[in-house]
Amino acid sequence: MAFQKKEENKESLARITAGSVNNMLKKNRETIIKTLPRGFNFDRMCRTVINAISTTPLLAKCTPGSLFLSTIRGFSLGLEPNGPLGEGYLVPFWNKEIGGYEAQFMPGYRGLQSLARRSGEIADLYAKVVCREDEFRVEEGTARAIVHRPNYTGSRGEPVCYYAVFRLKTGEFDFEVMSLEEIERVRCSSKSATKGPWVDWPEEMAKKTVMKRLLKRAPMSVELADAALLDNRASSGDSQDDILVVEGLEVDEATPQEIQQELNQEKKADLKAALENRAQPVNIPPVQPEPEKVPASSGGLFEPSEAELDAAEAKSRK
């Protein structure tokens, strides 16, 4: 019974948070549509964030305002948070200042890859995992080169390192290699090391880590630079409020718990009013007896029956 109650509370919290975010999206519809890249649909954005809240318990505990703004940051870059392509994620972080959870947008490996290819200068960008049974060779010096032949005919073994490569449209290229130890140090320094994408998609996060280090040497578009900055802030747990700011948005700063308390107070007030209405006495007017019907006769007087007349006559004789 207690477990069932707990699950009902979780569902109730998710409905409250999702409802508040949905209200903000609808209220700011016209402003948001102006920020969306071509090909992105407002209704799809609404469905995406509602689905993320419904399927991720910690997101339901985040402030609706932070979920709302994080969703807009992702879509304004042309990246769908928590979508099937893994382009980005809504990640919950504990904020000690407010004593509750807030959401931040974290670009994914495929999101950075997509933005880099849209920049116009990068022809290709990718990251790969190298396993123990693969053939892998790196040459440094004046003629840098990297050779990777995965062992697809048998067991590749456990991962040993990751690398990323970009190639420009001019033909120039560069690459970066990171060992598992280097990847692990980056993971441990992240505020989301034990939850979120690092737990759910560790290989994708490892690829993104080596790709970010490589992209420091690549030509960057404004969108790609913003995405990298968002990722750095999300990893460190710092605020993203000054990145991709959209003017004119109406944001509700209430927490799910505050919204729940307000709803509870409204319910209590309604219940109290209903009980008071039931307790008030109802004034029912007394039933008035119907007047005795008088048979119609001359003068309106009562006329005795024949039996009554005989009885009266017999009495007078006595």
Side-chain angles (χ1 to χ4, degrees), residues 83-148:
L85 298 180
E87 293 180 328
Y89 311 95
L90 297 174
V91 183
F93 289 91
W94 180 260
N95 187 333
K96 290 188 288 188
E97 294 183 5
I98 68 169
Y101 284 97
E102 286 188 322
Q104 291 187 329
F105 176 73
M106 178 180 282
Y109 152 67
R110 296 184 185 278
L112 294 180
Q113 190 179 46
S114 177
L115 290 174
R117 287 172 175 168
R118 290 184 217 160
S119 68
E121 295 186 65
I122 297 177
D124 198 11
L125 171 70
Y126 58 89
K128 297 290 184 180
V129 57
V130 179
C131 298
R132 189 167 298 282
E133 300 302 321
D134 295 347
E135 181 184 342
F136 185 67
R137 188 176 73 254
V138 177
E139 295 179 2
E140 296 287 1
T142 56
R144 301 182 71 224
I146 186 170
V147 177
H148 181 206

Side-chain angles (χ1 to χ4, degrees), residues 17 21 49 53 59-60 62-72 90 103:
T17 305
V21 173
V49 64
I53 294 169
L59 285 180
C62 293
T63 59
S66 68
L67 284 163
F68 169 69
L69 293 174
S70 296
T71 302
I72 291 177
L90 297 174

Side-chain angles (χ1 to χ4, degrees), residues 3-245:
F3 174 77
Q4 183 180 357
K5 187 69 174 177
K6 188 175 181 181
E7 290 300 310
E8 289 176 356
N9 290 338
K10 286 182 180 179
E11 292 177 5
S12 176
L13 188 63
R15 285 196 299 271
I16 291 169
T17 305
S20 180
V21 173
N22 195 41
N23 289 338
M24 279 186 278
L25 288 168
K26 290 181 178 179
K27 187 186 298 183
N28 294 278
R29 179 188 177 94
E30 298 304 320
T31 303
I32 294 171
I33 288 176
K34 295 176 184 177
T35 71
L36 293 178
R38 182 178 299 176
F40 279 80
N41 182 275
F42 175 81
D43 293 331
R44 180 177 177 84
M45 180 174 71
C46 295
R47 290 194 299 270
T48 296
V49 64
I50 299 306
N51 182 63
I53 294 169
S54 302
T55 57
T56 311
L58 270 184
L59 285 180
K61 296 182 179 180
C62 293
T63 59
S66 68
L67 284 163
F68 169 69
L69 293 174
S70 296
T71 302
I72 291 177
R73 290 187 183 101
F75 272 91
S76 65
L77 287 172
L79 306 178
E80 183 178 348
N82 295 57
L85 298 180
E87 293 180 328
Y89 311 95
L90 297 174
V91 183
F93 289 91
W94 180 260
N95 187 333
K96 290 188 288 188
E97 294 183 5
I98 68 169
Y101 284 97
E102 286 188 322
Q104 291 187 329
F105 176 73
M106 178 180 282
Y109 152 67
R110 296 184 185 278
L112 294 180
Q113 190 179 46
S114 177
L115 290 174
R117 287 172 175 168
R118 290 184 217 160
S119 68
E121 295 186 65
I122 297 177
D124 198 11
L125 171 70
Y126 58 89
K128 297 290 184 180
V129 57
V130 179
C131 298
R132 189 167 298 282
E133 300 302 321
D134 295 347
E135 181 184 342
F136 185 67
R137 188 176 73 254
V138 177
E139 295 179 2
E140 296 287 1
T142 56
R144 301 182 71 224
I146 186 170
V147 177
H148 181 206
R149 293 189 176 93
N151 180 22
Y152 290 134
T153 60
S155 174
R156 295 180 62 189
E158 68 275 12
V160 293
C161 65
Y162 289 81
Y163 69 94
V165 179
F166 75 72
R167 185 180 297 279
L168 302 181
K169 291 184 177 180
T170 58
E172 298 174 88
F173 73 93
D174 199 355
F175 62 83
E176 182 72 33
V177 182
M178 292 181 70
S179 66
L180 288 186
E181 290 75 18
E182 291 175 298
I183 297 285
E184 182 64 13
R185 282 199 295 271
V186 173
R187 185 191 71 82
C188 291
S189 67
S190 172
K191 293 290 186 180
S192 60
T194 58
K195 58 182 180 295
W198 272 112
V199 175
D200 299 329
W201 303 282
E203 185 171 311
E204 296 295 303
M205 291 297 289
K207 289 179 179 179
K208 184 181 74 171
T209 300
V210 66
M211 183 179 286
K212 277 181 60 184
R213 183 171 291 187
L214 172 64
L215 286 173
K216 293 178 181 178
R217 306 193 295 271
M220 274 205 180
S221 63
V222 174
E223 291 79 11
L224 187 55
D226 283 336
L229 184 55
L230 283 171
D231 189 73
N232 291 338
R233 296 282 184 87
S235 297
S236 62
D238 295 327
S239 173
Q240 297 178 332
D241 290 347
D242 59 333
I243 308 173
L244 296 172
V245 177

Side-chain angles (χ1 to χ4, degrees), residues 303-315:
E303 293 184 1
S305 62
E306 292 184 3
E308 289 174 329
L309 290 174
D310 293 342
E313 184 181 350
K315 187 177 181 181

Side-chain angles (χ1 to χ4, degrees), residues 247-309:
E247 299 293 339
L249 292 176
E250 296 182 39
V251 184
D252 184 359
E253 301 294 345
T255 66
Q257 291 77 11
E258 290 171 342
I259 297 172
Q260 177 72 75
Q261 290 174 0
E262 185 176 343
L263 290 174
N264 289 340
Q265 289 174 355
E266 290 178 359
K267 288 181 180 178
K268 288 180 180 178
D270 292 342
L271 180 60
K272 183 179 179 181
L275 291 174
E276 287 176 350
N277 289 336
R278 286 179 57 187
Q280 289 179 357
V282 180
N283 294 323
I284 302 176
V287 179
Q288 298 293 334
E290 293 184 3
E292 184 177 356
K293 294 182 180 180
V294 179
S297 63
S298 59
L301 297 177
F302 176 75
E303 293 184 1
S305 62
E306 292 184 3
E308 289 174 329
L309 290 174

